[in-house]
């Protein structure tokens, strides 16, 4: 992207982003383990060739994608997007009511799209956002996807998007823009995974959501990373009048570290945000995942629910923050955890912040171990202790996912069950 192609206002906006990013390029995140980003390789965006069909990816890749809910047959999907390392190799929208394309193509198509870039996620939030912004400028292009549901449309089938890392020590960055226009409904399934031969890599995904009045977005994310992968998603959501955002997050495989704290701004009246997460800590994973909602609109509401299980030597930090800034808002935090190993830990951090009168906010946090009576009951009926423990853990993590159409609810349950296989 060159300055010559833009008017003066756009030039100043680009320069402002770059100035902020340059100042923050070494800025550590306020929470989570720090990462030396110089240890990873910035692969060229042309490294992998485009494919005409998502079915053209190798068989091993297909099998990995299926584990994170990405169906390469595209059955019951409204469209698909696939980014391999830094290359946007496939995008296809089947639905007439939803636009899907890589972000660079969308920016060339729509002059107005610039106003949505770095709006609810700041380029100077930390060095991960800063490096993403600087890389966009240095390489002259953007990786990531653009999804937009047209006004008044309600597509039942979900869009699916995948961020796949196939090469060793790659730093994968992506900038995604998702817009639900007025009175539209959009469902997205996104899966993130690594190839079998990858042991170490870094993923940074910046995602910005915009929900116009009366819109609804459900966003279900499944992570299946290699054991030595570092993961740093950065997400912001702006929710307008009578709009609803539902986020489902599933992580049941080992990862080196992950730190994610999506922030939703319920700016419109009667706006609503729901975050539901399932985290299973395996081996020596360090998982720092939470959600934050600012209730700024009259009648806005939020619910943050998490289920966490720590095993082996894993550490889980389960965070939640609700901030009520105007009267009449409602919010609830709920964190339940099971500690299965003496060498693991769960640290629940529920926060409620009220800066107005006449609002309702509550939280519930409980961390414990499996009830021995439950183990005894199941073993007395023929199960081994290991089988009994697995059954209890699977039942604990398989919480009901609310707010989805029946077809998508069933698909999400299938994805959860698949993620829990072998536990």
């Amino acid at each position: 992207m060159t300055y010559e192609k833009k008017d003066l206002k756009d030039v100043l906006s680009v320069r402002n982003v770059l100035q902020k990013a340059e100042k923050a390029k070494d800025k550590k995140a306020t929470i989570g383990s720090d990462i030396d980003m110089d240890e990873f390789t910035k692969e060229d965006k042309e490294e992998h060739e485009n494919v005409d069909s998502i079915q053209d990816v190798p068989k091993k890749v297909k099998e990995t994608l299926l584990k994170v809910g990405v169906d390469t047959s595209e059955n019951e999907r409204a469209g698909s997007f696939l980014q391999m390392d830094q290359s946007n190799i496939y995008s296809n929208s089947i639905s007439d009511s939803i636009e899907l394309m890589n972000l660079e193509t969308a920016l060339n198509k729509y002059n107005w799209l610039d106003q949505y870039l770095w709006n609810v996620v700041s380029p100077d939030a930390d060095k991960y956002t800063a490096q993403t912004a600087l890389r966009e400028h240095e390489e002259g292009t953007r990786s990531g996807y653009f999804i937009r549901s047209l006004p008044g449309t309600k597509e039942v089938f979900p869009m699916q998007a995948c961020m796949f890392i196939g090469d060793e020590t790659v730093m994968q960055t992506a900038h995604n823009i998702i817009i639900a226009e007025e009175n539209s409904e959009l469902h997205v399934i996104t899966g993130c995974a690594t190839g079998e031969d990858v042991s170490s890599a870094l993923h940074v995904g910046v995602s910005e959501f915009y929900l116009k009045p009366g819109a609804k977005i459900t966003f279900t994310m499944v992570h299946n990373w290699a054991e030595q992968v570092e993961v740093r998603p950065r997400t912001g959501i702006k929710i307008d009048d009578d709009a609803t955002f539902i986020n489902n997050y599933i992580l049941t495989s080992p990862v080196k570290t992950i730190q994610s704290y999506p922030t939703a701004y319920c700016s419109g009246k009667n706006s609503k945000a729901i975050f539901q997460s399932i985290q299973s800590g395996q081996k020596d994973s360090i998982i720092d995942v939470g959600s934050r909602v600012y209730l700024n609109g009259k009648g806005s509401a939020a619910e943050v629910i998490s289920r966490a299980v720590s095993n082996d030597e894993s550490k889980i930090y389960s965070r939640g923050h609700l901030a009520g800034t105007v009267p009449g808002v409602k919010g609830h935090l709920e964190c339940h955890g099971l500690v299965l190993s003496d060498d693991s830990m769960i640290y629940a951090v529920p926060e409620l912040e009220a800066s107005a009168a006449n609002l309702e906010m509550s939280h519930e946090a409980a961390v414990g171990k499996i009830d021995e009576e439950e183990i005894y009951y199941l073993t007395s009926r023929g199960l081994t202790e290991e089988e009994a423990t697995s059954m209890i853990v699977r039942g604990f993590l398989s919480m009901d996912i609310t707010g989805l159409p029946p077809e998508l609810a069933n698909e999400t349950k299938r994805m959860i069950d698949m993620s829990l296989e072998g536990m």
Side-chain angles (χ1 to χ4, degrees):
M1 181 178 296
T2 60
Y3 290 146
E4 288 75 19
K5 294 181 179 179
K6 293 179 162 293
D7 61 26
L8 179 59
K9 181 180 178 181
D10 292 332
V11 169
L12 294 175
S13 176
V14 171
R15 287 178 177 170
N16 185 45
V17 167
L18 294 177
Q19 288 171 357
K20 286 183 176 181
E22 185 65 32
K23 291 179 181 179
K25 64 182 181 180
D26 297 315
K27 180 181 177 182
K28 294 181 180 180
T30 55
I31 55 178
S33 306
D34 191 41
I35 298 172
D36 183 359
M37 301 179 75
D38 291 335
E39 294 181 358
F40 301 94
T41 304
K42 292 183 178 181
E43 191 174 271
D44 190 89
K45 64 183 179 65
E46 305 294 341
E47 182 71 20
H48 301 285
E49 295 182 356
N50 291 352
V51 294
D52 295 328
S53 168
I54 196 170
Q55 295 188 37
D56 292 339
V57 299
K59 182 179 179 181
K60 286 185 177 180
V61 175
K62 289 182 183 179
E63 293 171 351
T64 302
L65 297 185
L66 189 59
K67 292 178 182 179
V68 292
V70 177
D71 186 348
T72 55
S73 70
E74 297 189 286
N75 288 331
E76 298 186 341
R77 296 293 191 261
S80 302
F81 175 90
L82 176 58
Q83 177 172 325
M84 185 171 292
D85 298 327
Q86 205 59 23
S87 307
N88 297 327
I89 67 170
Y90 180 76
S91 62
N92 177 44
S93 178
I94 299 171
S95 172
D96 292 333
S97 60
I98 302 176
E99 292 183 303
L100 170 66
M101 62 193 82
N102 67 63
L103 184 58
E104 186 68 19
T105 299
L107 284 166
N108 291 329
K109 181 176 181 179
Y110 295 120
N111 292 329
W112 48 262
L113 186 53
D114 276 347
Q115 65 184 294
Y116 291 92
L117 298 179
W118 302 111
N119 197 329
V120 285
V121 176
S122 177
D124 61 356
D126 55 34
K127 64 183 182 182
Y128 308 107
T129 57
Q131 289 289 350
T132 302
L134 292 172
R135 191 174 185 184
E136 289 178 345
H137 175 67
E138 291 167 2
E139 298 180 2
T141 188
R142 289 177 169 87
S143 294
Y145 58 79
F146 167 79
I147 300 177
R148 174 176 174 249
S149 56
L150 302 181
T153 61
K154 294 187 178 183
E155 175 60 64
V156 174
F157 293 124
M159 282 287 179
Q160 61 180 9
C162 181
M163 298 294 164
F164 183 85
I165 296 178
D167 291 339
E168 182 73 6
T169 68
V170 162
M171 179 198 298
Q172 182 187 64
T173 59
H175 194 170
N176 309 313
I177 303 293
I178 304 94
I179 302 172
E181 297 288 0
E182 191 167 352
N183 296 320
S184 67
E185 188 168 324
L186 172 64
H187 306 286
V188 181
I189 291 175
T190 179
C192 298
T194 47
E196 292 182 355
D197 299 330
V198 175
S199 60
S200 176
L202 168 62
H203 167 80
V204 181
V206 176
S207 299
E208 301 185 85
F209 293 81
Y210 298 90
L211 289 83
K212 304 296 181 64
K216 180 179 181 180
I217 291 179
T218 67
F219 187 76
T220 300
M221 175 179 284
V222 182
H223 277 179
N224 185 18
W225 301 107
E227 293 180 19
Q228 295 301 311
V229 173
E230 313 269 14
V231 187
R232 293 297 182 272
R234 296 294 183 257
T235 303
I237 307 105
K238 185 178 184 297
I239 310 172
D240 215 325
D241 293 350
D242 302 304
T244 299
F245 178 77
I246 300 174
N247 186 96
N248 304 308
Y249 177 69
I250 305 163
L251 172 65
T252 60
S253 60
V255 65
K256 186 174 183 180
T257 69
I258 179 171
Q259 190 273 305
S260 176
Y261 206 16
T263 300
Y265 302 90
C266 288
S267 304
K269 65 180 181 180
N270 302 320
S271 54
K272 188 173 185 178
I274 299 174
F275 289 90
Q276 302 170 116
S277 66
I278 294 171
Q279 305 139 41
S280 176
Q282 308 290 326
K283 299 189 177 181
D284 59 353
S285 300
I286 300 176
I287 301 168
D288 196 323
V289 174
S291 307
R292 174 188 288 139
V293 183
Y294 288 96
L295 299 167
N296 301 327
K298 182 179 179 181
S300 58
E303 190 172 18
V304 176
I305 300 173
S306 69
R307 297 286 185 271
V309 173
S310 65
N311 210 337
D312 303 322
E313 298 177 356
S314 63
K315 294 178 174 60
I316 298 178
Y317 300 84
S318 183
R319 304 177 188 273
H321 180 198
L322 298 180
T325 64
V326 296
V329 300
K330 295 182 179 181
H332 178 67
L333 288 173
E334 182 180 316
C335 173
H336 289 175
L338 284 178
V339 179
L340 302 184
S341 164
D342 291 338
D343 296 321
S344 68
M345 61 154 278
I346 296 176
Y347 183 46
V349 193
E351 295 182 77
L352 300 180
E353 179 183 348
S355 54
N358 300 319
L359 48 73
E360 296 179 27
M361 292 198 297
S362 61
H363 77 74
E364 175 185 346
V367 178
K369 62 178 182 179
I370 294 177
D371 191 330
E372 292 296 332
E373 291 186 3
E374 294 182 21
I375 296 288
Y376 175 77
Y377 175 83
L378 293 172
T379 54
S380 68
R381 278 154 178 76
L383 295 179
T384 66
E385 185 171 337
E386 183 178 346
E387 290 170 338
T389 300
S390 177
M391 181 179 290
I392 293 169
V393 170
R394 286 167 61 91
F396 174 78
L397 291 176
S398 294
M399 65 180 181
D400 291 333
I401 299 294
T402 62
L404 300 179
E407 298 87 350
L408 190 54
N410 292 334
E411 172 72 1
T412 302
K413 186 178 185 306
R414 185 191 68 79
M415 291 160 59
I416 293 173
D417 290 343
M418 184 180 295
S419 298
L420 298 179
E421 285 181 1
M423 292 187 59

